[in-house]
Amino acid sequence: MKAIVATDPAAEAAGITLAERPEPTPAINDVVVEVHASGFVPAEWEWPSTWVDRAGRDRAQAIIGHEFAGVVTSLGYGTTGLSLGQRVFGITDWHRDGTLAEYAAVEARNLAPLPGNVDFRVGASLPISGLTAWQGLFQHGRLQAGQSVLAHGAAGAVGSVVTQLAREFGAYVIGTGRAADRQAALDFGANEFLDLATEDLDDIGGVDVVFDVIGADIQRRSARIIRPGGTLVSVVGPVEARPVDGLAVDFVVESVPSQLVEIVDRVRDGRLRTHIGTVATLDDAVPALNPTERRKGKTVISVRP
């Protein structure tokens, strides 16, 4: 089968290539899925699991990508809850071969049903962005109606979902980003927008939850404006700056099928829009995953156009 594999940690995206790999076989409690579309997170180059397995062994020629939508074609021994021919979407284990391939072996417990009226490309764009936003806001940020949220990167793949979910649950959302992102962030539901290049975070006055997808100096400045009892939620590694009178949480997204159902139901009824940017075929995935300029939204590879 065709697959996109990583060859060189130092080269990052420049070291990926289209290769032929054996089709996977399902282990106990696995399914094999015919992949129709796969999402991709550029930060994957920084994850240790991209390059070594849980025992510390080199993962040479590892298949990359960890979110997808497709159709179940094979069931492993003991697998329950899914059936042959079923449309599914979800996240694969970080240490296993991924989803930028024609087939992927996945633990059944990580998958949720994909409704028939949701396009595979939309389904592939949802798992990591959607679950990151959901878990960051509700599990870690403990968001409540009437609170305020500072959503960094509000026009991006994660930030756009953060913005929409926070607004749905009754929060006041201040989106941030570059000047060119202002209208997109407002269209996704931000109550107001702050240009990080020209406007001062301190002018906001105070917020209850900061959802940080940037880190470094932006994170440090954001920590200063969190109200007493508020929370700084980070998805960019250990928190360097903590609120004076609040919590700081960094987390790695987990696959929770019940949350995936909540998210895709919102897509079906129009409460949530996913932000898909570049779409490319598997044959054209290498340049799409190694862009020469900044791209907006989620990159999705259509494996079976």
Side-chain angles (χ1 to χ4, degrees):
M1 68 173 184
K2 293 180 181 178
I4 303 296
V5 299
T7 62
D8 183 357
E12 299 186 344
I16 62 174
T17 186
L18 181 66
E20 284 290 329
R21 292 292 300 275
E23 290 186 16
T25 55
I28 295 173
N29 297 322
D30 270 0
V31 298
V32 170
V33 176
E34 179 186 72
V35 179
H36 283 243
S38 172
F40 183 74
V41 179
E44 192 169 326
W45 313 123
E46 303 167 11
W47 303 344
S49 57
T50 300
W51 309 107
V52 295
D53 64 18
R54 284 190 171 86
R57 295 179 297 244
D58 180 53
R59 295 187 64 217
Q61 301 289 310
I63 299 173
I64 58 175
H66 288 283
E67 59 186 331
F68 74 107
V71 175
V72 175
T73 59
S74 180
L75 304 175
Y77 179 79
T79 299
T80 60
L82 295 174
S83 58
L84 294 175
Q86 185 174 1
R87 301 171 98 245
V88 293
F89 73 125
I91 300 176
T92 64
D93 185 278
W94 310 120
H95 288 85
R96 297 179 64 174
D97 274 341
T99 58
L100 281 167
E102 294 180 297
Y103 295 90
V106 190
E107 290 179 275
R109 65 178 181 173
N110 287 334
L111 301 177
L114 181 69
N117 59 350
V118 176
D119 184 85
F120 285 114
R121 290 171 294 182
V122 173
S125 72
L126 289 172
I128 291 179
S129 297
L131 290 173
T132 299
W134 188 280
Q135 292 166 17
L137 285 174
F138 306 129
Q139 289 180 221
H140 304 295
R142 303 167 299 151
L143 182 67
Q144 299 178 23
Q147 291 186 322
S148 55
V149 175
L150 180 66
H152 286 308
V158 174
S160 61
V161 182
V162 170
T163 298
Q164 292 173 83
L165 290 177
R167 279 296 304 273
E168 179 190 346
F169 280 80
Y172 184 91
V173 181
I174 303 166
T176 78
R178 305 183 185 195
D181 298 327
R182 181 182 300 272
Q183 192 56 53
L186 296 174
D187 289 344
F188 280 117
N191 296 92
E192 57 181 284
F193 181 84
L194 185 140
D195 178 359
L196 290 172
T198 62
E199 298 176 277
D200 193 344
L201 278 170
D202 291 330
D203 292 341
I204 292 173
V207 295
D208 298 295
V209 178
V210 170
F211 202 115
D212 179 35
V213 298
I214 302 173
D217 184 57
I218 295 297
Q219 184 183 96
R220 289 188 287 271
R221 290 159 55 194
S222 299
R224 297 199 301 260
I225 64 170
I226 294 176
R227 292 175 179 145
T231 308
L232 169 63
V233 177
S234 170
V235 295
V236 290
V239 175
E240 298 179 4
R242 297 179 177 272
V244 173
D245 186 14
L247 297 176
V249 179
D250 67 274
F251 75 101
V252 176
V253 65
E254 297 179 292
S255 182
V256 182
S258 61
Q259 294 174 358
L260 284 172
V261 171
E262 292 275 7
I263 291 163
V264 80
D265 281 349
R266 285 167 168 76
V267 172
R268 293 177 70 190
D269 63 23
R271 284 178 289 168
L272 181 67
R273 290 186 293 124
T274 185
H275 188 187
I276 296 176
T278 301
V279 177
T281 66
L282 193 61
D283 287 338
D284 296 326
V286 171
L289 299 175
N290 193 11
T292 57
E293 58 186 18
R294 178 176 179 257
R295 291 179 175 176
K296 298 179 180 180
K298 169 74 73 173
T299 295
V300 174
I301 303 303
S302 185
V303 179
R304 288 176 171 79

